[in-house]
Amino acid sequence: RLLLGFERRLRDNLEARMKHPDDPARFADSELALHAETDRLRLLAGAPELFPDLVPLGLASSLSSLLTHDNADLAAAAASLLADLTDSDDPSDLAGVQALADALVDANALDLLVHNLSRLSEADPDEAEAVHHSLAVLENLIDLRPHLADLVCDRTKVLRWLLARVKARDFEANKQYASEILAILLQNSPANQKRLGQMNGVDGLLQAVAMYKSRDPRTTDEEEMLENLFDCLCCVLMPLGNKERFVKAEGVELMIIIMKQKKSAYSSAIRTLDFAMTRFPPACERFVDVLGLKTAFAAFMGKIPVNKKNKNESYQEELEERIISLVASLFGGITKGSRRIRLLGKFVENECEKIDRLMELYIRYSDRVKAETERFESLDLDDLEVPFLSCDLHVKSKQIIYC
């Protein structure tokens, strides 16, 4: 009855608009009634087990059609309703919500949502909220059906819109949400990583993080957005072609500047350089040419700027591992010439203190590996329940092999 009532109001409104296209007063009442019926449909969010029965009745197609309504308030109401309907953390509701998600994709809801992002003006608080809800629907659908990350980027201009959004200078909630959605679309998707690189996305992301080269985020939300941007940058640096774009866009120089400023993005800059320089000699050569060795080896020696964030022990360990990886990439990418001599020369400075540091790290990590090996050997694997993990733990000949 709820759905039929909604569809009747939608049909009445469309007919009134067709009869009196130049007289809004003649169809204003029907739009108020339609808005009220749309709000009533929120009751369905509490009963996702009904979705498989409602989908054949046209729930997805009716709501998708409302996304294109000329009245932005009604389109916003549709986006808000879809955000509620597709948001569920209860595993028992998964089948019903997935059925709705599949029907929405068939009804071209992805295309319509992205189109809405372009036509809504965030200068209006209500429309800014509608943008937030539209992004929420995209996030929910991708969470339900991960393969949609590739599909939505292939069929729509969502990557281009998100890139433009994160490049905006002023910080606010939708910019943070856009950075989060962009990170979701890029992770585990080589196709999207390449697409963003081809639309000058590497340079766009560098412009976005460059705003923080000499200042810290003012709030925790802004700090989270900055981490999202660096996550995007690291993801997009996976394809070889994007590493080349990173070097040409002077990304290496920017990361070194961020490290020298010793602000909150310090560790993220090291992580980005690690991604850029791994198995890519041109980035290693540029790093040496722009005098990055001094900055990198200061971190290698443990001279890390202290703030609230990096007092955490796990943070210190991750940063240490990143800088070790970066130094290893330098040795792998620079095999001869004056750059190699400059790199090796760092290890004989100050009475070979960096070699002492290297041995200290080697002994510490060797002891940890030894202790962990002994712990595994002491386990009774016949009585051990080994869970299925993403890192592919295999039990074979009473040994655990990490693949």
Side-chain angles (χ1 to χ4, degrees):
R1 284 199 298 270
L2 280 171
L3 182 57
L4 292 174
F6 167 77
E7 290 181 337
R8 184 169 58 253
R9 294 298 185 185
L10 178 60
R11 185 172 56 253
D12 291 346
N13 176 247
L14 293 176
E15 290 175 356
R17 274 183 165 270
M18 291 177 66
K19 288 180 180 178
H20 313 285
D22 300 321
D23 189 0
R26 302 292 293 272
F27 55 74
D29 290 342
S30 68
E31 296 200 349
L32 290 172
L34 176 57
H35 201 293
E37 285 296 330
T38 304
D39 285 341
R40 288 186 66 200
L41 284 178
R42 291 183 189 279
L43 292 169
L44 297 176
E49 68 276 5
L50 300 178
F51 290 175
D53 296 323
L54 288 166
V55 165
L57 298 178
L59 174 64
S61 57
S62 296
L63 291 179
S64 295
S65 67
L66 192 58
L67 288 170
T68 63
H69 201 283
D70 291 336
N71 186 331
D73 290 339
L74 286 170
S80 175
L81 175 58
L82 284 172
D84 288 344
L85 295 179
T86 55
D87 183 19
S88 177
D89 296 326
D90 189 343
S92 63
D93 297 337
L94 188 60
V97 182
Q98 284 180 333
L100 176 60
D102 293 339
L104 287 170
V105 174
D106 292 340
N108 292 323
L110 292 174
D111 308 65
L112 300 174
L113 284 166
V114 175
H115 174 71
N116 258 3
L117 293 175
S118 302
R119 75 166 176 148
L120 293 171
S121 170
E122 293 185 66
D124 183 327
D126 292 335
E127 294 192 19
E129 186 178 7
V131 169
H132 188 88
H133 289 144
S134 297
L135 292 174
V137 179
L138 285 175
E139 181 184 14
N140 293 342
L141 292 177
I142 293 168
D143 186 48
L144 291 165
R145 296 298 191 198
H147 74 276
L148 294 179
D150 281 339
L151 182 66
V152 68
C153 294
D154 182 49
R155 283 172 35 174
T156 72
K157 296 180 179 179
V158 66
L159 279 181
R160 196 172 296 278
W161 185 90
L162 291 170
L163 183 62
R165 195 66 192 77
V166 300
K167 286 168 60 179
R169 182 161 294 276
D170 296 331
F171 171 78
E172 36 74 37
N174 281 349
K175 181 178 178 180
Q176 178 197 357
Y177 207 176
S179 70
E180 184 179 339
I181 299 298
L182 185 58
I184 290 171
L185 292 172
L186 292 174
Q187 66 184 11
N188 303 321
S189 176
N192 288 344
Q193 293 160 9
K194 291 177 181 178
R195 286 188 185 103
L196 193 67
Q198 291 165 357
M199 60 178 67
N200 205 27
V202 174
D203 186 66
L205 289 172
L206 289 173
Q207 290 179 40
V209 301
M211 301 177 197
Y212 298 90
K213 66 182 178 183
S214 56
R215 74 171 180 89
D216 288 332
R218 297 183 178 89
T219 64
T220 54
D221 287 340
E222 193 172 3
E223 184 177 337
E224 181 181 339
M225 182 208 67
L226 183 57
E227 286 300 315
N228 289 336
L229 291 175
F230 274 105
D231 287 344
C232 293
L233 198 50
C234 291
C235 287
V236 85
L237 284 174
M238 298 299 287
L240 182 62
N242 288 345
K243 291 178 187 279
E244 295 174 355
R245 295 182 177 98
F246 179 80
V247 173
K248 289 179 180 178
E250 299 184 354
V252 174
E253 290 88 334
L254 176 60
M255 296 304 116
I256 292 173
I257 290 172
I258 292 174
M259 289 175 65
K260 287 180 177 178
Q261 293 295 325
K262 298 181 179 179
K263 299 297 182 180
S264 63
Y266 178 86
S267 62
S268 298
I270 292 177
R271 179 161 60 103
T272 304
L273 284 171
D274 184 25
F275 273 83
M277 294 163 61
T278 300
R279 294 186 293 277
F280 191 61
C284 300
E285 293 169 358
R286 176 66 66 86
F287 185 83
V288 175
D289 291 344
V290 296
L291 309 179
L293 290 178
K294 180 179 179 180
T295 307
F297 277 98
F300 180 77
M301 294 301 295
K303 298 175 183 177
I304 298 169
V306 178
N307 54 43
K308 293 180 181 179
K309 178 181 176 181
N310 64 19
K311 286 182 179 179
N312 187 293
E313 186 177 344
S314 62
Y315 170 92
Q316 296 276 2
E317 285 189 1
E318 181 185 355
L319 188 56
E320 187 178 86
E321 291 170 10
R322 289 291 181 188
I323 199 68
I324 292 171
S325 175
L326 191 150
V327 172
S329 294
L330 284 170
F331 275 104
I334 301 173
T335 57
K336 59 184 178 180
S338 61
R339 297 187 185 94
R340 179 78 173 187
I341 294 171
R342 288 166 63 184
L343 176 59
L344 292 171
K346 283 291 176 182
F347 285 86
V348 298
E349 292 176 349
N350 301 326
E351 299 180 353
C352 302
E353 64 175 2
K354 295 177 182 64
I355 293 181
D356 292 339
R357 171 68 170 165
L358 194 62
M359 291 307 301
E360 172 196 331
L361 293 169
Y362 176 77
I363 291 170
R364 189 203 310 165
Y365 284 114
S366 294
D367 289 345
R368 288 173 62 179
V369 170
K370 181 180 178 181
E372 196 67 9
T373 302
E374 290 174 354
R375 187 178 76 84
F376 277 127
E377 289 176 348
S378 67
L379 294 175
D380 185 356
L381 297 184
D382 292 332
D383 299 327
L384 182 66
E385 292 185 8
V386 181
F388 293 98
L389 300 176
S390 59
C391 55
D392 290 335
L393 290 177
H394 297 284
V395 179
K396 187 177 181 181
S397 302
K398 294 190 176 182
Q399 293 180 338
I400 296 181
I401 304 171
Y402 281 82
C403 297

